[in-house]
Amino acid sequence: HTLSVLFTKPLPFTMNNLMLAQLMKDLQDPEMMRQAREMMQDPKFQDNMKKMAESNQFKASMKNTKESMEDPEKVKKLQESMEERLKDGDKQLKELEEKEAADKKEGAEDGDEKPAAK
C-alpha cells in the first residue's frame, strides 16, 4: 500500500513527486483510509512501529525534523518545496492516467481489452 511508505521510509527524501501526488490522492479516498486504519490496528504493524520508534536512526530523524520545524525559514522552504513537488507530481499523475486511459481505449478498439483485476 502507498500508505505503508509513510511508516517505513523517512520523508521527503525517498519519495518521488509522483508517489507524493498519489499519496495525497489516496489520503482523500475513504476506502484507502479504512484500510490504513485496519493496517494500523494489526498487532504486527504496532510491533514494527514500536521497534522503528526505538531505533537510533528514527530518533535522530525525529530530532532533525523537530529542529527544522523550529526554524521558520526552513519551514517556509520545506513548504515551498513540497508544494512544487506536489504540483509536479500531480502533473505526472495526470499524464500517467491519461496515457492509461488512451492505452485502454486503444485496446478496446483493437478488441484486446482485458477485464479489470479484482
Side-chain angles (χ1 to χ4, degrees), residues 12-53:
F13 307 107
T14 61
M15 184 177 288
N16 68 37
N17 296 351
L18 179 61
M19 289 173 62
L20 177 63
Q22 182 65 56
L23 173 64
M24 296 307 288
K25 184 177 178 181
D26 290 346
L27 289 172
Q28 301 303 314
D29 181 345
E31 176 60 19
M32 281 292 263
M33 296 311 296
R34 183 191 64 74
Q35 290 177 11
R37 279 190 298 277
E38 286 178 10
M39 177 183 72
M40 289 185 273
Q41 291 171 353
D42 183 327
K44 288 182 183 179
F45 177 85
Q46 292 175 3
D47 286 344
N48 287 338
M49 289 286 83
K50 184 177 179 183
K51 288 176 187 172
M52 182 186 72

Side-chain angles (χ1 to χ4, degrees), residues 42-92:
D42 183 327
K44 288 182 183 179
F45 177 85
Q46 292 175 3
D47 286 344
N48 287 338
M49 289 286 83
K50 184 177 179 183
K51 288 176 187 172
M52 182 186 72
E54 293 171 350
S55 75
N56 289 334
Q57 182 180 3
F58 181 81
K59 288 177 182 177
S61 177
M62 291 306 293
K63 180 181 178 200
N64 289 339
T65 299
K66 183 178 182 241
E67 289 171 1
S68 293
M69 298 310 250
E70 291 172 350
D71 181 340
E73 280 301 310
K74 286 184 180 180
V75 170
K76 182 180 177 185
K77 287 180 183 178
L78 178 61
Q79 184 174 3
E80 289 170 355
S81 171
M82 291 300 287
E83 288 171 0
E84 281 298 314
R85 292 182 62 211
L86 188 54
K87 183 178 175 181
D88 179 61
D90 284 338
K91 179 182 172 195
Q92 290 179 42

